Amino acid sequence: MMNLAPKAKEIRESGFAVVDNVFTNEQVENILAAINRVDSTKETFKKSEDLFAIRQFLKEIPETTDLIFNYKLKNIINEVFGEDYFLVKSIYFDKPETSNWFVSYHQDLTVSVDQKIEVAGFGPYTKKHNQFAVQAPLHILDNNFTIRIHLDDTNELNGALKVIPNSHSKGIYRPEKIDWSIEKEVSCNVMRGGIMMMKPLLLHSSNRTSNHQKRRVIHLEFSNQILPKELNWSEHLDLFTTVDSIKDT
């Protein structure tokens, strides 16, 4: 069994870590087959020349849940973060071979919730594809984490995330304030079937594709935080009790 203590240390100190061979090629193919069978005309799907995305991915394609949360992934979550975490957001991204889509440096400051309501410490809100997102207090963002499952080999030529190590420890860090005399940029290259784990406050970006290779990623966000009673997570999956269904909170 893999010693995950070094990965937990990387997360604490750098804000990210990569783990290879979490999924076999056969497991990746099974996930992709389930995705390819779905009706892509739904409003939770975004389709353009540069990007195909499925929001609330595990709700839209629930048969992928057992495929994704295999023993290896659940063990990684348990050993690196703990059994009290649950899934709160899932998105599938397909960045085509000729994509000009890029994302500039930013932190993930919002969480997905079920409604817009005034709650102290939360705001402002945005709404995309009938989903509400709200900027959350730092104590929630500090405890959350993201796992990105890579369904293709990914490097700096087809949109691997570029990150600034340890930027997650500096609170709200505006991109225009990045001091490149002291900061360094790292490309998080991930092999097919591997994962990247990251903290939401880690500054990250993504380049345009230049090598005509796909980049398909399943983006999963996790929390162990209870929201104020007026708010609910838009998705909620308890990982260590059941993965048979996803329930609305």
Side-chain angles (χ1 to χ4, degrees):
M1 186 176 294
M2 179 185 297
N3 176 16
L4 292 165
K7 298 301 180 182
K9 183 180 179 182
E10 285 182 51
I11 291 285
R12 290 193 304 271
E13 296 181 355
S14 298
F16 70 98
V18 172
V19 182
D20 294 323
N21 301 314
V22 178
F23 299 89
T24 66
N25 278 329
E26 181 181 2
Q27 290 170 328
V28 170
E29 288 298 328
N30 288 338
I31 292 170
L32 288 172
I35 294 170
N36 291 333
R37 287 193 296 267
V38 76
D39 176 7
S40 63
T41 62
K42 297 180 180 180
E43 64 179 7
T44 50
F45 293 22
K46 176 182 178 181
K47 212 167 189 180
S48 71
E49 292 182 358
D50 292 326
L51 178 68
F52 172 53
I54 304 173
R55 300 177 186 277
Q56 299 192 25
F57 172 70
L58 294 179
K59 284 185 177 181
E60 293 292 349
I61 316 181
E63 59 266 38
T64 61
T65 303
D66 288 335
L67 300 174
I68 288 168
F69 289 103
N70 63 14
Y71 173 78
K72 281 188 177 181
L73 186 63
K74 291 174 72 175
N75 184 61
I76 289 168
I77 293 171
N78 181 29
E79 293 295 322
V80 176
F81 300 102
E83 285 194 4
D84 58 336
Y85 277 87
F86 45 89
L87 179 133
V88 296
K89 185 176 182 178
S90 61
I91 310 176
Y92 168 72
F93 292 111
D94 179 351
K95 192 173 183 180
E97 299 93 321
T98 57
S99 176
N100 283 318
W101 182 62
F102 75 99
V103 179
S104 58
Y105 268 107
H106 66 286
Q107 297 172 301
D108 292 336
L109 299 177
T110 65
V111 297
S112 293
V113 293
D114 64 339
Q115 63 178 322
K116 180 179 180 180
I117 188 169
E118 295 303 317
V119 178
F122 288 79
Y125 280 83
T126 59
K127 185 179 181 182
K128 293 181 180 179
H129 300 277
N130 290 323
Q131 288 192 85
F132 291 102
V134 62
Q135 184 164 327
L138 281 179
H139 75 270
I140 290 180
L141 299 174
D142 280 335
N143 282 283
N144 287 4
F145 69 91
T146 296
I147 288 179
R148 294 167 59 87
I149 301 170
H150 284 253
L151 306 179
D152 299 289
D153 290 339
T154 308
N155 57 38
E156 59 274 8
L157 299 179
N158 66 330
L161 286 192
K162 299 181 298 180
V163 304
I164 298 178
N166 196 40
S167 53
H168 71 297
S169 68
K170 300 178 181 180
I172 305 298
Y173 193 170
R174 300 298 181 191
E176 63 272 16
K177 300 292 186 180
I178 298 173
D179 184 350
W180 290 110
S181 68
I182 60 172
E183 304 289 14
K184 66 176 182 179
E185 179 180 88
V186 174
S187 177
C188 295
N189 298 354
V190 186
M191 296 178 63
R192 187 180 203 244
I195 67 171
M196 176 191 174
M197 302 178 287
M198 60 181 284
K199 301 294 288 181
L201 291 177
L202 182 75
L203 277 164
H204 56 285
S205 68
S206 176
N207 283 346
R208 294 179 173 88
T209 297
S210 61
N211 65 350
H212 299 287
Q213 298 294 319
K214 273 183 170 291
R215 192 213 66 179
R216 293 168 291 186
V217 171
I218 297 171
H219 173 106
L220 306 173
E221 297 182 12
F222 301 84
S223 184
N224 64 353
Q225 301 293 296
I226 303 301
L227 295 176
K229 63 180 180 180
E230 300 92 338
L231 279 177
N232 293 308
W233 300 102
S234 64
E235 298 176 65
H236 187 135
L237 172 64
D238 292 312
L239 303 176
F240 298 100
T241 55
T242 179
V243 295
D244 293 333
S245 63
I246 296 177
K247 62 183 181 179
D248 293 322
T249 53

